[in-house]
Every structure is written in structure tokens, then in C-alpha cells.
Amino acid sequence: MTFAPMPDQLATERFLLTRERATDADWLAELFTTRGTGVVTPAMAQERIAGMHALTRDHGIGAYVLRPRDGGPPAGYAAIVVGRGTVEEPELAYELLPEARGRGYATEAARCVLGAAFATGRERIWATVRTWNTPSLRVLEKLGGFRVDRETTDDDGVVRWHVREERTVSP
């Protein structure tokens, strides 16, 4: 099946969501390092940016940087990626810098990105969240429409698979 590409830019009340730029490497490295899985360098973040650009070029999905409309620094990202899903049934992902958490930014951006993903013709979007990640689980709850499909376990613990389905209407 062929899907329309997602737009290069999206907008919410508080953010312009744009594709990642090479100049985003420093703050992305900081964000990825806050995960606690090791230090991520700007060069490593550049590799991630290149990978997202390839995903966008090849499949029309990818990451959007949350750029505040007031000109402040980026707050994080929201994305539609393959992740644990597929190109046909991709995964919603979002992540914020620590100072941007707890303000509804992830919900606002994820709602916008999710709508754009369904507008491509996709009918099913996944979100996989570790059971301990209460803030991300709250985002899915606020978005509405997600249901738990199953749980799996890997070396890092339990992953809860959430799915949202939206049937598109054929012309």
C-alpha cells in the first residue's frame, strides 16, 4: 500500500513542529543522554538526524522538533517511526527535555503528529511504553483512542503495546 507523506511542518497552539536540522545535534545529544543509558555525543545525534531524514525520504514519516512559537529553544520531539512497528503500522514516539516536562507539550505535539499520520492513509498507529513510564502512559490516556493490545518482555522489562485505529473513508 502507498501512503501520502507527512508534511514537512506542522503547527500547534504553542509550537511549530519541523523536521530535525543539523543544528539540533547538541540539544538532541543532551536529550538522549538524559535517558540514562549512556552519554550521547553530538556526532551520534547527527547520525540519528541522518537516519530520520532517510526515513522521511523513503517512507514519508519521521521526527518533528517542538520549536516554541515564542522563539525559545526546542522542547523535544514527537515522531512517527518504525520503532517496534512497521512502515504500514508505525509507532508514535515523543520525548522532552527535562525542563519541558509536565506542561502538556508532549500531548499537544503528539496529538498533532498523530493526526498527520492518520491523514497519510494509515489506519493503525502503535505506541509502545514501558509500564514504569507513567508520564508517557498519561499522554496516551489524554490523547484518547488508544487501547492496550498486549505486553511483551525484553532485557529491560515489560513493554505495553498500545494501538489506535482510525478507519479512513475512501472517496
Side-chain angles (χ1 to χ4, degrees):
M1 179 173 220
T2 302
F3 299 100
M6 292 177 69
D8 286 334
Q9 183 171 299
L10 299 168
T12 71
E13 181 180 334
R14 296 181 283 188
F15 296 100
L16 291 178
L17 284 71
T18 68
R19 299 297 186 180
E20 294 170 326
R21 302 174 187 150
T23 56
D24 292 319
D26 287 341
W27 74 264
L28 277 170
E30 176 187 341
L31 175 64
F32 299 150
T33 298
T34 66
R35 292 176 179 164
T37 56
V39 174
V40 175
T41 66
M44 295 163 79
Q46 282 288 4
E47 290 176 21
R48 190 277 179 134
I49 292 169
M52 278 296 138
H53 286 193
L55 181 65
T56 300
R57 180 189 64 244
D58 296 345
H59 301 293
I61 59 178
Y64 292 90
V65 174
L66 282 65
R67 300 187 193 282
R69 288 180 178 264
D70 68 6
Y77 73 86
I80 298 294
V81 297
V82 175
R84 293 182 181 100
T86 64
V87 170
E88 294 78 19
E89 294 185 7
E91 183 173 356
L92 172 66
Y94 40 86
E95 196 168 3
L96 299 177
L97 287 162
E99 60 271 19
R101 296 175 187 158
R103 298 182 179 153
Y105 295 167
T107 303
E108 180 179 334
R111 182 174 284 119
C112 182
V113 169
L114 187 62
F118 281 121
T120 68
R122 289 175 171 84
E123 295 182 350
R124 182 181 266 193
I125 305 292
W126 293 91
T128 59
V129 180
R130 298 212 175 269
T131 54
W132 56 260
N133 192 343
T134 304
S136 285
L137 292 169
R138 272 197 308 263
V139 169
L140 294 180
E141 188 177 305
K142 289 177 192 175
L143 290 173
F146 278 95
R147 65 175 170 76
V148 175
D149 182 74
R150 67 185 178 275
E151 288 185 355
T152 57
T153 304
D154 62 18
D155 292 342
D156 295 321
V158 178
V159 176
R160 189 171 290 151
W161 293 65
H162 302 259
V163 65
R164 181 164 167 181
E165 297 172 307
E166 292 199 11
R167 302 286 179 223
T168 56
V169 178
S170 299

